[in-house]
Amino acid sequence: MNTLKLAVVSAGLSTPSSTRLLADRLTEAVRKHLPGVEVHLVELRDVATDIAHNLTNGFASPKLQAELDAVTGADGVIAVTPIFTASYSGLFKSFFDVVDPDALVGKPVLIGATGGSARHSLALEFALRPLFAYLRATVAPTAVFAAPEDWGADGLAKRIDQAAGELAALVDDRPAPVKTVEAVIPFEEQLAALRKR
């Protein structure tokens, strides 16, 4: 039996990076659901110049091509970006602009993002999910957003585990585990929390 491969794309710009931290937490959770999965981390800041050159000359450097091959050859992908001005980062978008448009068809993808406040969380549904729908990937139902106040909170850990289970089920081609509703924050509570800010 072939080893399952997971590509983790992190568009964090700093070191340390909350985006990378979320990518690591999601990866760790997927590993619990898929023991033995082989993980390849793609740090986009390490290939930022290569991405820019590819956009202008149409050719990927060997370093960038290796990262593209890791993503397109994986059985599943975790894609995490910081949110700037209510959308994914330019670096994140530029990377997926140079991915072959047919390479992610049907590929299971878990989307995640970090941002300065919870007000950016809808970018997952209005920016990231449409991007991967355009690429015809199979996006896990649960997206994970982490604002500064979410770190260490029980709700984030539950969302991470839920999303990881869904991605693992898609990668392993089995029914997703059914979770109880307690992991979901009712709309009224979300609205009340936003009004307090």
Side-chain angles (χ1 to χ4, degrees):
M1 184 173 165
N2 292 333
T3 302
L4 292 173
K5 295 180 180 178
L6 179 68
V8 182
V9 179
S10 171
L13 301 177
S14 59
T15 306
S17 158
S18 60
T19 301
R20 170 65 189 276
L21 178 59
L22 180 58
D24 288 347
R25 294 270 305 271
L26 289 166
T27 302
E28 181 182 318
V30 170
R31 278 184 159 142
K32 288 178 184 173
H33 292 275
L34 293 173
V37 67
E38 183 181 302
V39 176
H40 180 89
L41 176 67
V42 179
E43 282 276 15
L44 295 186
R45 71 171 178 264
D46 294 341
V47 289
T49 303
D50 304 81
I51 293 169
H53 288 161
N54 190 359
L55 287 169
T56 58
N57 66 26
F59 297 99
S61 68
K63 184 177 178 181
L64 176 58
Q65 190 61 57
E67 302 297 38
L68 291 168
D69 290 345
V71 171
T72 60
D75 297 293
V77 175
I78 295 173
V80 187
T81 180
I83 299 300
F84 300 127
T85 321
S87 189
Y88 36 65
S89 74
L91 180 59
F92 183 85
K93 178 62 163 61
S94 294
F95 177 75
F96 286 100
D97 282 345
V98 299
V99 170
D100 182 304
D102 296 324
L104 298 183
V105 174
K107 192 173 297 293
V109 175
L110 189 168
I111 55 174
T114 58
S117 82
R119 289 182 308 237
H120 293 296
S121 62
L122 287 177
L124 283 163
E125 300 306 324
F126 291 100
L128 269 79
R129 196 174 296 276
L131 169 67
F132 287 103
Y134 174 81
L135 294 170
R136 293 167 289 154
T138 302
V139 184
T142 301
V144 181
F145 181 83
E149 62 270 18
D150 291 324
W151 295 104
D154 191 42
L156 178 60
K158 287 180 179 179
R159 290 193 311 273
I160 287 172
D161 186 61
Q162 173 74 24
E166 291 168 358
L167 180 68
L170 290 169
V171 167
D172 207 23
D173 196 27
R174 58 187 161 83
V178 176
K179 296 287 184 176
T180 59
V181 178
E182 65 190 20
V184 178
I185 302 169
F187 176 74
E188 293 80 17
E189 287 181 31
Q190 292 179 35
L191 190 57
L194 287 174
R195 286 182 177 149
K196 288 180 184 177
R197 291 174 196 201

